[in-house]
Amino acid sequence: MTSRRWTAPRPINVYVIEHSTGLVLFDTGQDRASVTSDDYFPRGPVGWLYRRLARFDIGADDTLTASLAAIGYDIADVHTAIVSHLHQDHIGGLPELGHARIIVSAAERASVGAPGALLNGVMRAHIDLPGLRWEEVTPVEVDDPALAPFTYAHDIFGDGSLLLLPTPGHTPGSLSLLIRQQGMPELLCVGDLTYDVELLADEHVPGLGNRSRVIDSTRLVNEYARRHPNLVVLPAHDPASAAALNTARSQVR
């Protein structure tokens, strides 16, 4: 509340996956309306808290549609968008995705109507949009030694290529996405479990959310990384993620 300076700028990453069935997104970014509309954020003390937590630079070319077009994709080809959690900087592209199915954990979706949701960063007005096709998922217990120490997962397409893993803490229903593509290192998109892979490895966790659950999820990810040395961990706001992803893509055989 008393800080006089901001952290260095950080990206808001949206991960684009080419699946045999079409394009899949992990998270959808920040809505440009958040910097162009005076009524995007709540008013009063809660709105003041939002403005204290973050400020955004979202240009006309930073919308989800424009960002996809800039790398050669058409948003109409996105058939599935996975939302790691429901904070504003992960649901901003929802207004552009009325044609796609939107996957979220059932636990996270339930938080929309919880007491204090707005104070916890969940703005129902930008989530419960008309025409969206929500699909709520609950990871189930799996007996797969290759996933250990994770014991719960949700296989999105039933082919083992995209597995949702519960990593609660930052929010009650936060999900991570394990991406397995032939000839490429495994990728693990972890949303806001961490903002920096090096801090994650050191178990230095962010201050937002339920600290004990964040630590538990962090330890699961770190143990999985120990068992899979080639794993590439991709947080939503780590400036190093783009280079790490490019390096992984360069290793495709």
Side-chain angles (χ1 to χ4, degrees):
M1 297 300 177
T2 59
S3 177
R4 294 177 178 270
R5 59 191 177 91
W6 295 93
T7 60
R10 288 187 171 270
I12 301 173
N13 292 321
V14 174
Y15 294 101
V16 184
I17 302 129
E18 293 178 334
H19 189 264
S20 60
T21 58
L23 287 187
V24 178
L25 303 182
F26 186 72
D27 285 330
T28 70
Q30 177 82 6
D31 195 339
R32 177 161 162 74
S34 65
V35 298
T36 61
S37 175
D38 291 337
D39 61 358
Y40 186 86
F41 292 106
R43 298 187 182 277
V46 175
W48 182 85
L49 286 171
Y50 274 81
R51 291 189 293 274
R52 286 293 294 165
L53 281 171
R55 60 186 181 189
F56 299 94
D57 180 10
I58 313 294
D61 294 332
D62 297 327
T63 65
L64 183 59
T65 298
S67 296
L68 286 170
I71 55 174
Y73 298 108
D74 189 328
I75 196 167
D77 294 329
V78 176
H79 67 72
T80 300
I82 304 153
V83 181
S84 65
H85 63 290
L86 292 172
H87 285 165
Q88 58 174 316
D89 49 331
H90 300 262
I91 55 91
L94 292 183
E96 303 166 69
L97 291 167
H99 61 284
R101 66 167 176 163
I102 314 296
I103 295 179
V104 68
S105 77
E108 188 72 5
R109 193 74 174 90
S111 72
V112 175
L118 191 61
L119 193 59
N120 289 325
V122 178
M123 293 186 285
R124 188 170 203 158
H126 304 307
I127 296 168
D128 284 343
L129 302 177
L132 290 185
R133 294 190 290 117
W134 290 96
E135 181 177 320
E136 299 177 19
V137 302
T138 300
V140 297
E141 192 167 7
V142 293
D143 182 16
D144 183 352
L147 279 181
F150 288 98
T151 56
Y152 285 80
H154 175 79
D155 189 337
I156 296 176
F157 295 110
D159 61 2
S161 63
L162 299 178
L163 297 173
L164 289 173
L165 306 175
T167 49
H170 181 69
T171 65
S174 288
L175 293 171
S176 293
L177 176 66
L178 181 65
I179 303 170
R180 294 164 157 173
Q181 293 188 333
Q182 187 173 5
M184 187 172 178
E186 287 188 354
L187 310 175
L188 183 62
C189 302
V190 297
D192 285 1
L193 179 63
T194 186
Y195 304 128
D196 184 300
V197 289
E198 293 183 3
L199 294 179
L200 178 82
D202 291 338
E203 291 189 12
H204 188 97
V205 301
L208 293 176
N210 183 312
R211 181 177 174 81
S212 64
R213 298 194 81 187
V214 170
I215 291 173
D216 289 344
S217 293
T218 295
R219 288 174 176 168
L220 284 174
V221 169
N222 283 339
E223 176 60 19
Y224 187 85
R226 186 189 69 79
R227 299 182 186 207
H228 300 265
N230 293 325
L231 179 74
V232 179
V233 177
L234 300 170
H237 306 299
D238 188 344
S241 289
L245 180 56
N246 285 334
T247 298
R249 293 176 64 192
S250 72
Q251 297 173 19
V252 173
R253 297 189 297 274

